[in-house]
């Protein structure tokens, strides 16, 4: 058995980052196996609730990735999302979620290497922080 | 019609050749209301693409992108597959041919065969496997490849013991569980009536056995590129491990030798350039490097690197950055090395030095040749061939053979890559569709509609199918363990593991299981939903289950392929992914597809060659077209070009085309016009055309963007500062208007790649090499004594254009190679122009005095692309050319439905490719317009008015104008026809009044919770 | 204060008599000292119920959403900003509202007075220009108003209504040199664990009564997310994580919309400093997007718009 490995949830937009993750596979680029991907149509779809819910259920890290600014399949979704994310990240860190648990990136469908680099980096940083401590709903699973 | 016989136009087409081109033609025609006979000589469709590991420049897995198409062809109501079949003869004429087809026996009853593989397992006869390019063995009873369509076994009678040894063996027959083996099977001859034929028989790789200098066939570690493709492939002889044939050890040094059998006028070789080898070699080096466990030394020995296709140059740049060695050289010999398993290459390098290098393995980049059978077919059909046995075509009619009603596409028309083959395939469908327009729909059959089972109120019963993907998944993830785990999950009623869940037989099986086990949710744990979701959804539909009751777990691309070193972790992750998918599936609801009428008219933007060809393509198929051109006249760059490289007069052709466009009853031409506003969506666009001060609103179902591109005005080489410094198009015009002026010119210099293949414009402009050589030859005609120099980086006269390169050299035109680091210097010395260029061979600067200098400057993207991209929501690449939906298989479609592209706005290309692409766009648009109604996406947002606070945020932010407030209640409502399903409004709604079908809150929450539950 | 009161009554009488409005929303004096209650009157004869003093802290904008007809409303600086937010968010139309603008010098926090008097019974409170005098059986205690203002009022820099149809008094000077975000910065200087503890402790006494939400003019959703049942993802008990999640998400929903009117804190029966949540977002919105809620009818709320060059360094 290896030591403790963090649980990381990655929300990837269907058009760019999910596709980059697919390409990472096609290119056989290895990255840590403890990231669980949830496909969303667009980062614009990212309700803050999804992030809160992940932390509440014990995610050690959350990573949201979408298309680069200007490349959104839905034209503007990532621009609106960027504002929400900026406020939410600051706010969650303000109330005690450690910096380094919540990550955002723009990764296009061809950037498999960036996807892998980012996956490694997120994993390393989250691992260094140790298990999540705050905002975890201890008992009940909904 | 001759002799007064009123022959009826037949609404069916025969497509000969079931490779990617034939499949595309068949699909386009079948979707546009024609009945298609797809004739394939081998036991299964798929062609060469089915043998490829990856495809350049995106390195997509070839089988992954092909497989959904195979299945689509296999299950299309209006495509009839005739495998093991050959055309024997043709009578009749365009509109009404009678084709005699000879069908060889399969010895396996297609109706009875379940594809179980027992026959192959029991067959004692092992023979060379051609699918694996002869690198492995198969049986005499066999399946061509695992994803084959039709997924039916076949007995190779030439090698079967029963047939060769007079009735002994019969092992297959004895063991076949369904009694499908039939040794009495006989050949059949069918006479089939069709209105048109499309020939796409493909190619055969050049066989280096013809030329013993390469030691091919005599040394195991000299392989052809196609063999190497199989070595790289996970489904190949070595399961994708990079090893060499002799000892199955990993090679540390591999050499690729380019132009094997191409650009070679020696006996047995081909004089033309095979077009694709440079890029595929680069692809292979990159993939080999990925597969290699050490630091692979990959070297490409080449004459010119020809990466002229869209985005290929970037691939070349990347390869250099990743340390692939590109050695400009002439190979003098190839011999076994001191260690005889290795190979010694002797060559002369770019400086003329003799060099010797040892490699562990050598890949011969073999070219593409026309098959002998194809030449015979051409004789039977009486169509003209060019000297290299390619079908002879005009650059203006690139898919029309010499015989009316018989069309051609793919490599049989000339060496080309997959996107160009696909483009031509659609173009051929367009031209055939135009010829048979009056018979559209007369033979096509309606898809039998399967009534949908109502699942509301049923508790979820989930079926889980776990795919091994050959060894792609099963080689890493312990699939049986995942399947066993799936059985323990709530609501899971059925679990099965498959070798290939995407194969035709599994699709059929899923349908049966859905019915037999009363399943109402399906989870497939396999590859990416991005490639395979549509396929599986169709399977659900066929089984009478709403297709949205489906979810995928991506246990290949995002699991087995990326955690290859840790099967335990990969298996655990696969279980998690399956659990997450099941949790989502349980919460899926059936979604209803809304049908909308299609406005059966097209809008073509851009009145150049591509725009006119597209407009004619659509109008000839019977659809009204609005053609919008911003200039005063039609023709675009066609008005400035003199001749095609084949010598055809472009001016005359453009004039004829303009005439046809203007007089066509279905085409409305809008000159000096631009599209200023657009609304709507696929099938139902409303665009506002500004014509002078007036505006006109037109309604149309499809849009074709053909707005062209520009020639770069260079800002180097003193351009604009001397009357004798030309941009290439200006030189053409100057020669045409005043040929006398050039008769006394003593020296002319052409500088290639001006503004192309540079860091700020990392693409090849594709046409310039051919164009400059053409112009140089024209100048030689005017004054045979003229000294002409072409300063180049790589000469890219791909395909049969190589001929004019050879002609130019034979006529004494000098070609001097320069490098990007040492560009030529130019000085204006009074009247004279002087060019100084560093000679690569001599390594000294060479001075050339010239009277005229021509700059082959780049093709740059259209300035008005941006506004159009906003109007119709279209993607562009980094350089500003329009981005196709898929580089290989959807080369004329935008990701935005109902919008297509053609010509230079998509990327630099010559006239013949622009026309083919325009016709392809017309075929794609016609397939849409012919369908009369379309189903709207159901992945859309919807509102719960009771929760809505009417804050109007959704209305403000929706990029597509799909949200509004109900006039009476003030509550949010979403128009499903306009909603694209991005979910922005949903995430922005504080009141929780909006949700997104297919990605709703409860589904996403369930996935989050399950992801963290382990 | 008396001048405001008579101007309010006079204006209300005129508006109702002339049928310029269907109703007036203002304050009436409560039954106990330091308590004023909102009142809606529709008849001119009732206008003398209307009252004004420094205990009219309730944000009357909270009573506007989805009202029909024309309504006059008494509005302090912050209330007027919330009316702007309502108009932007389609909760009421500008021409429906007659804003009776109150240039405000801040509302008094009655808890500060009772605390200073150690919870002795106060029988009567009288108000002067800058002072408050609280009388009880055994005391007669003067306070400097500035010392007992609501926390949000003490740092308010928008005391004059941004929109109004008529002012109930002359504009008051705005406060200058106010340090609006000292409390936010105090938290920002803490480490993650300390912050987490800070906020856990802050809401430890929360009884999930939702008084903060009910008092907030922004919380007009027909169903609050805490009551969401598709799925019911947030527990309703006083589990610390659920409680904290409630406060977090409620505050996040107010991002770019909160005017720091203090209604939440004022309403909290447990005296929880709920503004600790909202103020961080208010500060960030100002710093990142240069936006203050309710200052203009012309600009859209910050989460309804974007700029291509918005700060994005936090995204890799």
């Amino acid at each position: 058995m290896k030591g403790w490995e963090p649980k990381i949830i990655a929300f990837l937009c269907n058009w760019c980052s999910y596709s980059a993750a697919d390409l990472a596979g096609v290119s056989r680029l290895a990255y840590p196996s403890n990231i669980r991907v949830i496909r969303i149509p667009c980062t614009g779809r990212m309700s803050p609730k999804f992030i809160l819910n992940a932390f509440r259920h014990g995610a050690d890290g959350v990573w949201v990735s979408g298309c680069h600014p200007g490349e959104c399949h839905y034209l503007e979704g990532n621009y609106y999302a960027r504002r929400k994310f900026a406020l939410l990240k600051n706010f969650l860190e303000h109330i005690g979620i450690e910096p380094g648990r919540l990550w955002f990136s723009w990764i296009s469908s061809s950037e498999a290497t960036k996807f892998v680099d980012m996956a490694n980096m997120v994993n390393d940083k989250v691992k260094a922080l140790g298990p999540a401590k705050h905002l975890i709903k201890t008992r009940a699973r909904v | 019609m001759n002799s007064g016989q009123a022959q009826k136009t037949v609404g069916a087409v025969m497509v000969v050749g079931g490779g990617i081109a034939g499949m595309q033609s068949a699909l386009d025609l079948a979707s546009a209301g024609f009945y298609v006979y797809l004739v394939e000589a081998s036991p299964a469709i798929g062609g060469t693409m089915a043998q490829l590991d990856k495809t350049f420049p995106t390195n997509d897995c070839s089988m992954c992108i092909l497989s959904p198409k195979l299945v689509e062809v296999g299950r299309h109501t209006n495509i009839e597959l005739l495998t093991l079949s050959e055309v024997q003869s043709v009578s009749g004429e365009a509109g009404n041919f009678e084709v005699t087809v000879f069908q060889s026996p399969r010895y396996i009853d297609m109706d009875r065969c379940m594809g179980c593989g027992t026959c192959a397992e029991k067959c004692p006869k092992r023979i060379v496997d051609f699918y694996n390019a002869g690198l492995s063995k198969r049986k005499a009873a066999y399946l061509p490849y695992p994803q084959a369509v039709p997924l039916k076994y076949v007995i190779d009678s030439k090698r079967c013991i029963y047939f060769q040894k007079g009735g002994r063996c019969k092992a297959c027959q004895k063991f076949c569980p369904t009694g499908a083996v039939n040794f009495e099977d006989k050949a059949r001859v069918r006479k089939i009536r069709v209105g048109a034929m499309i020939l796409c028989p493909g190619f055969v790789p050049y066989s280096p056995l013809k030329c013993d200098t390469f030691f091919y066939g005599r040394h195991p570690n000299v392989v052809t590129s196609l063999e190497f493709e199989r070595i790289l492939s996970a489904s190949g002889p070595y399961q994708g491990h990079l090893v060499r044939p002799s000892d199955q050890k990993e090679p540390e040094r591999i050499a690729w030798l380019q132009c094997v059998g191409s650009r070679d006028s020696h006996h047995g070789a081909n004089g033309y350039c095979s077009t694709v080898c440079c890029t595929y070699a680069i692809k292979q080096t990159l993939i080999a490097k990925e597969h290699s466990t050490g630091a692979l030394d990959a070297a490409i020995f080449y004459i010119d690197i020809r990466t002229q296709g869209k985005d290929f140059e970037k691939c070349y740049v990347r390869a250099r950055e990743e340390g692939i060695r590109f050695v400009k050289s002439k190979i003098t010999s190839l011999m076994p090395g001191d260690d005889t398993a290795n190979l010694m290459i002797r060559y002369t390098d770019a400086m003329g030095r003799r060099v010797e290098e040892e490699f562990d393995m050598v890949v011969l980049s073999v070219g593409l040749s026309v098959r002998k059978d194809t030449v015979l077919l051409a004789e039977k059909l009486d169509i003209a061939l060019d000297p290299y046995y390619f079908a002879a075509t005009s650059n203006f009619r690139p898919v029309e053979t010499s015989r009316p009603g018989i069309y051609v596409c793919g490599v049989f028309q000339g060496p080309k890559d997959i996107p160009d083959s696909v483009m031509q395939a659609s173009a051929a469908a367009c031209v055939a569709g135009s010829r048979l327009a009056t018979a559209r729909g007369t033979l096509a059959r309606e898809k039998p509609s399967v009534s949908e089972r109502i699942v509301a109120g049923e508790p979820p019963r989930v079926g889980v199918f776990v795919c091994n993907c050959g060894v792609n998944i099963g080689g890493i993830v312990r699939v049986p363990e995942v399947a066993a785990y799936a059985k323990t999950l709530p609501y899971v009623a059925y679990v099965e593991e498959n070798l290939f869940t995407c194969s035709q037989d599994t699709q059929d099986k899923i349908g049966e299981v859905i019915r037999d086990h009363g399943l109402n949710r399906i989870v497939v744990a396999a590859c990416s939903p991005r490639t395979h979701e549509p396929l599986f959804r169709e399977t659900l539909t066929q089984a009478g289950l709403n297709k949205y009751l489906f979810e995928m777990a991506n246990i290949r691309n995002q699991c087995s392929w990326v955690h290859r070193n840790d099967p335990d972790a990969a298996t655990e992750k696969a279980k998690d992914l399956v659990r997450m998918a099941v949790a989502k599936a349980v919460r899926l609801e059936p979604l209803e597809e809304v049908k909308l009428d299609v406005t059966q008219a097209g809008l073509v933007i851009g009145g150049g060659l591509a725009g006119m060809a597209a407009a004619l393509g659509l109008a000839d198929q019977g659809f009204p077209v609005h053609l919008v051109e911003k200039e005063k006249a039609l023709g675009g760059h066609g008005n400035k070009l003199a001749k095609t490289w084949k010598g055809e007069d472009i001016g005359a052709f453009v004039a004829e085309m303009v005439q046809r466009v203007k007089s066509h009853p279905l085409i409305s031409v809008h000159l000096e016009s631009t599209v200023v506003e657009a609304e709507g969506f696929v099938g139902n666009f409303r665009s506002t055309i500004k014509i002078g001060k007036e505006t006109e609103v037109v309604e149309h179902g499809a849009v074709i963007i053909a707005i062209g591109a520009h020639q770069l005005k260079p800002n180097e080489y003193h351009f604009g500062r001397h009357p004798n410094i030309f941009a290439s198009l200006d030189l053409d015009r100057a020669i045409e208007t005043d040929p006398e002026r050039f008769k006394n010119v003593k020296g002319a210099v052409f500088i290639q790649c001006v503004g192309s293949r540079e860091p700020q414009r990392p693409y090849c402009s594709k046409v310039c090499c051919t164009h400059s050589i053409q112009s140089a030859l024209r100048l030689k005609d005017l004054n045979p004594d003229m000294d002409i120099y072409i300063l180049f980086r790589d000469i890219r006269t791909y395909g049969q254009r190589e001929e004019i390169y050879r002609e130019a050299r034979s006529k004494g035109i000098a070609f001097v190679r320069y490098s990007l680091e040492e560009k030529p210097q130019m000085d204006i010395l009074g009247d004279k122009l002087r060019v100084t260029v560093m000679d690569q061979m001599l390594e000294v600067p060479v001075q050339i005095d010239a009277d005229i200098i021509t700059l082959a400057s780049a093709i740059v993207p259209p300035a008005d692309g941006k506004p159009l991209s906003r109007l119709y929501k279209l993607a562009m690449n980094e350089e500003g050319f329009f981005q196709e939906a898929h580089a290989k298989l959807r080369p004329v479609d935008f990701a935005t439905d109902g919008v297509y592209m053609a010509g230079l706005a998509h990327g630099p290309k010559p006239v013949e490719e622009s026309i083919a692409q325009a016709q392809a766009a017309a075929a794609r648009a016609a397939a849409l317009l012919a369908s009369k109604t379309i189903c709207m996406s159901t992945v859309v947002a919807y509102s719960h008015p009771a929760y809505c606070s009417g804050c109007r945020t959704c209305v403000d932010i929706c990029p597509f104008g799909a949200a509004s407030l109900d006039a009476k209640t003030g509550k949010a409502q979403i128009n499903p026809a306009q909603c694209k399903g991005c979910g922005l409004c949903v995430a922005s709604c504080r009141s929780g009044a909006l949700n997104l079908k297919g990605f709703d809150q409860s589904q996403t929450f369930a996935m989050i919770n399950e992801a963290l539950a382990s | 204060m008396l001048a405001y009161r008579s101007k309010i009554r006079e204006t209300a009488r005129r508006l109702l008599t002339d049928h310029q409005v269907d109703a007036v929303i203002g304050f009436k004096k409560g039954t106990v000292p330091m308590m004023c209650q909102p009142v809606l009157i529709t008849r001119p004869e009732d206008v003398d119920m209307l009252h004004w003093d420094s205990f009219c802290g309730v944000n009357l904008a909270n009573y506007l959403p989805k009202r029909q007809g024309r309504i006059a409303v008494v509005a302090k600086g912050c209330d007027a900003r919330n009316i702007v937010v309502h108009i932007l968010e389609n909760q009421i139309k500008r021409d429906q509202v007659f804003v009776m603008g109150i240039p405000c010098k801040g509302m008094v926090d009655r808890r500060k007075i009772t605390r200073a008097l150690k919870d002795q019974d106060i029988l009567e409170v009288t108000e002067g220009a800058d002072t408050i005098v609280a009388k009880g059986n055994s005391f007669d205690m003067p306070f400097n108003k500035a010392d007992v203002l609501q926390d949000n009022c003490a740092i308010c820099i928008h005391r004059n209504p941004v929109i109004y149809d008529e002012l109930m008094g002359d504009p008051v000077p705005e406060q200058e040199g106010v340090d609006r975000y000292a409390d936010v910065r105090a938290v920002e200087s803490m480490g993650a664990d300390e912050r987490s503890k800070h906020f856990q402790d802050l809401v430890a006494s929360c009884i999930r009564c939702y008084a903060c939400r009910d008092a907030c003019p922004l919380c007009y959703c027909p169903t609050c997310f805490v009551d969401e049942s598709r799925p019911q993802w947030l527990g309703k008990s006083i589990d610390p994580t659920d409680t904290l999640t409630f406060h977090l998400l409620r505050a996040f929903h107010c991002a770019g919309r909160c005017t720091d009117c203090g209604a939440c804190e004022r309403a909290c029966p447990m005296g929880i400093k709920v503004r600790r949540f909202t103020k961080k977002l208010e500060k960030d919105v100002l710093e990142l997007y240069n936006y203050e809620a309710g200052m203009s009818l012309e600009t859209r709320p910050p989460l309804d718009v974007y700029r291509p060059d918005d700060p994005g360094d936090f995204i890799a």
Side-chain angles (χ1 to χ4, degrees), chain B residues 329-345:
Chain B
S329 54
K330 188 169 168 47
I331 304 289
T332 49
S333 79
L334 178 64
M335 302 278 282
D338 295 339
D339 173 348
T340 53
N342 295 346
L343 290 140
M344 184 67 77
I345 296 181

Side-chain angles (χ1 to χ4, degrees), chain A residues 4 14 29 31 97 134:
Chain A
W4 172 80
N14 182 47
L29 304 171
Y31 57 88
I97 302 270
H134 309 306

Side-chain angles (χ1 to χ4, degrees), chain A residues 4-11 35 51-52 54-56 58-64 88-89 92-93 96-104 118 121-136, chain C residues 192-193 196 314:
Chain A
W4 172 80
E5 290 293 332
K7 290 180 190 173
I8 297 167
I9 301 281
F11 295 94
I35 295 171
I51 295 172
L52 281 179
F55 282 126
R56 282 168 50 84
D60 299 304
V62 175
W63 169 25
V64 184
L88 186 66
K89 180 172 156 55
L92 288 181
E93 288 172 4
I97 302 270
E98 305 92 320
R101 291 219 188 266
L102 177 55
W103 292 92
F104 299 92
M118 190 71 198
M121 198 265 283
V122 169
N123 186 58
D124 290 350
K125 299 275 182 184
V126 172
K127 206 167 172 175
L129 287 170
K133 295 175 280 192
H134 309 306
L135 206 64
I136 302 171
Chain C
D193 291 350
S196 176
F314 69 99

Side-chain angles (χ1 to χ4, degrees), chain B residues 942 944-953 956-957 965 970-971 988-995 1001-1002 1005, chain C residues 66 87-91 218 220-223 225 227-231 233 252-254 257 300-301 303-305:
Chain B
Y942 63 100
H944 295 282
Y947 288 81
C948 175
S949 55
C951 73
R952 226 184 59 190
T953 297
D956 278 338
I957 59 173
L965 297 185
K971 304 287 188 182
S988 303
C989 178
R990 297 178 293 268
S991 306
L994 297 172
N995 221 327
Q1001 177 162 306
S1002 67
F1005 272 28
Chain C
K66 300 288 184 308
I87 295 167
L88 288 174
E89 294 178 358
N90 196 36
Q91 297 306 302
L218 304 174
Y220 53 70
C221 291
T223 306
F225 65 88
D227 298 321
E228 229 169 316
S229 57
R230 298 167 299 135
W233 61 283
F252 195 76
H253 279 176
C254 298
R257 309 161 66 219
R300 299 298 309 164
L303 290 179
D304 290 11
V305 291

Side-chain angles (χ1 to χ4, degrees), chain B residues 120 151 330 435 573 654 796:
Chain B
L151 197 102
K330 188 169 168 47
R435 179 64 189 78
K573 178 169 168 179
V654 169
R796 294 183 166 178

Side-chain angles (χ1 to χ4, degrees), chain C residues 96-280:
Chain C
Q96 269 185 284
V97 199
F98 188 97
V99 180
M100 299 162 64
I102 307 268
C104 172
K105 284 187 167 174
M107 292 291 114
V108 168
D109 181 349
R110 67 189 155 80
R111 288 191 194 128
K112 287 187 177 165
I113 293 176
T114 50
R115 215 174 301 132
L117 293 170
K118 308 212 161 38
D119 291 327
Q120 300 172 78
D121 281 344
I122 300 165
L123 302 175
E124 194 193 341
V125 172
T126 51
E127 187 173 351
D130 295 311
T131 54
I132 298 274
V133 180
K135 285 183 188 154
N137 282 329
S138 57
F139 59 88
D140 193 348
M141 185 72 147
F143 291 90
N144 219 333
K145 255 197 233 175
D147 299 335
V148 289
L149 286 181
Q150 289 184 187
D151 289 353
N152 63 311
C153 297
I155 55 166
C156 174
I157 57 164
H158 300 296
R159 294 176 142 187
N160 294 294
V162 282
I163 57 163
Y164 54 82
D165 295 280
E166 203 167 321
L167 281 183
M168 301 297 106
D170 293 332
V172 295
E174 294 293 357
Q175 303 196 94
E176 277 170 28
V178 180
D179 184 358
R180 292 160 80 186
Y181 299 113
D183 51 350
V184 180
R185 282 201 312 277
V187 176
E188 283 171 348
S189 70
M190 301 176 188
D193 291 350
E194 206 183 341
R195 291 181 191 193
S196 176
K197 182 170 186 314
H198 174 87
F199 283 97
Q200 281 292 356
D201 292 350
L202 186 73
V203 297
S205 60
C206 176
I207 53 169
R208 299 286 292 272
C209 71
Y210 304 136
C212 49
R213 175 190 80 185
D214 296 343
C216 177
L218 304 174
C219 284
Y220 53 70
C221 291
T223 306
C224 178
F225 65 88
V226 294
D227 298 321
E228 229 169 316
S229 57
R230 298 167 299 135
Q232 195 226 314
W233 61 283
L234 188 58
K236 291 174 190 289
S237 68
I238 51 167
D239 168 90
T241 301
D242 286 339
T243 304
L244 187 58
T245 309
F246 160 68
H247 287 285
L248 285 179
L249 197 52
R250 195 191 85 77
F252 195 76
H253 279 176
C254 298
R257 309 161 66 219
C258 173
T259 61
D260 198 28
C261 74
C264 46
E265 236 169 67
R266 197 191 151 75
C268 179
M270 308 307 290
I272 299 170
K273 299 216 174 280
V274 198
R275 290 169 48 252
R276 288 280 157 84
F277 293 101
T278 51
K279 281 191 69 191
K280 167 62 179 168

